[in-house]
Amino acid sequence: MPGNIVLIGFMGSGKTTVGRLLARELRWSFLDTDTMVEERLGLPVKEIFAREGEDFFREVEKEAIARVVTARRAVIATGGGAVLSGVNVQLLREGNKVVWLQVRPETALKRAGLDDNRPLLQGREPRDIAALLRRREPYYAFADIYIDTDGKEAAAVAREIKEALKAWLESLT
Ligand code: S3P
């Protein structure tokens, strides 16, 4: 069994920050699909969107997901839109635990809105972000566990994940 922990959720939910921490605590490796896409193309996400468009980004993201699920005992942070693809969802679920990091739109905006490498947030009003998050929620709902991240430090979120997955982690050999 691959036995990875896969973090899904909206931009600004803390997938990368929490994932890195969790991986360090578990002494597992940490993989981030956005970083894999950026390394593969040698460009930041915002440049990929600007030059090639979102559809192209999604294709390269699919390749990154297909590669990342060959890992074993890794914490995997996915881009917020990776779960829009049914194929990606199927790959991510197989033999792994999927954790949805939940976030309120105001918090997402506070954490991620100033980052200019997130093209889908650029120039958006708070109500647009809230609408996008609402449209995304059904795609995150397949997760095995849901963790509310609002008002919590990354370390507390990482602890909650470990606690929620305790039995599963102990069952891994
Ligand atoms: C996206 C989220 C981003 C990145 C891209 C698209 C999305 O990842 O993949 O900008 O569609 O939600 P993060 O969730 O890590 O910001």
Side-chain angles (χ1 to χ4, degrees):
M1 184 169 65
N4 300 300
I5 297 176
V6 177
L7 304 181
I8 64 167
F10 200 64
M11 293 168 275
S13 59
K15 299 175 298 268
T16 301
T17 312
V18 170
R20 235 186 231 125
L21 254 174
L22 182 61
R24 199 185 310 146
E25 285 179 19
L26 294 171
R27 296 198 171 79
W28 287 12
S29 48
F30 173 69
L31 300 164
D32 184 315
T33 63
D34 281 338
T35 306
M36 290 168 73
V37 170
E38 290 185 325
E39 285 176 359
R40 162 90 204 286
L41 299 175
L43 288 172
V45 169
K46 72 165 178 207
E47 284 297 324
I48 304 169
F49 269 66
R51 294 192 201 181
E52 310 287 348
E54 182 172 349
D55 289 351
F56 178 77
F57 173 83
R58 296 294 173 208
E59 285 311 310
V60 185
E61 183 175 56
K62 270 189 191 151
E63 291 172 24
I65 298 282
R67 257 185 303 143
V68 90
V69 294
T70 62
R72 211 180 127 82
R73 314 296 190 253
V75 178
I76 299 170
T78 56
V83 296
L84 298 174
S85 150
V87 174
N88 287 350
V89 167
Q90 236 172 325
L91 289 172
L92 291 169
R93 298 181 92 161
E94 190 77 39
N96 300 317
K97 283 290 179 194
V98 180
V99 180
W100 175 12
L101 297 187
Q102 297 180 304
V103 65
R104 286 205 317 264
E106 310 83 69
T107 312
L109 203 56
K110 219 181 293 163
R111 290 188 192 147
L114 296 176
D115 176 355
D116 80 341
N117 198 28
R118 285 194 169 96
L120 296 181
L121 294 181
Q122 291 313 299
R124 299 292 189 101
E125 297 291 327
R127 65 167 182 278
D128 301 331
I129 309 292
L132 179 60
L133 176 52
R134 264 198 309 279
R135 280 203 302 281
R136 286 283 178 82
E137 278 173 345
Y139 291 94
Y140 299 130
F142 76 94
D144 298 296
I145 60 169
Y146 300 0
I147 307 272
D148 181 5
T149 69
D150 276 296
K152 293 177 192 160
E153 299 283 341
V157 176
R159 263 198 311 278
E160 260 188 68
I161 296 173
K162 270 199 304 192
E163 196 50 41
L165 294 178
K166 199 162 187 264
W168 179 77
L169 285 166
E170 282 167 5
S171 78
L172 295 175
T173 50

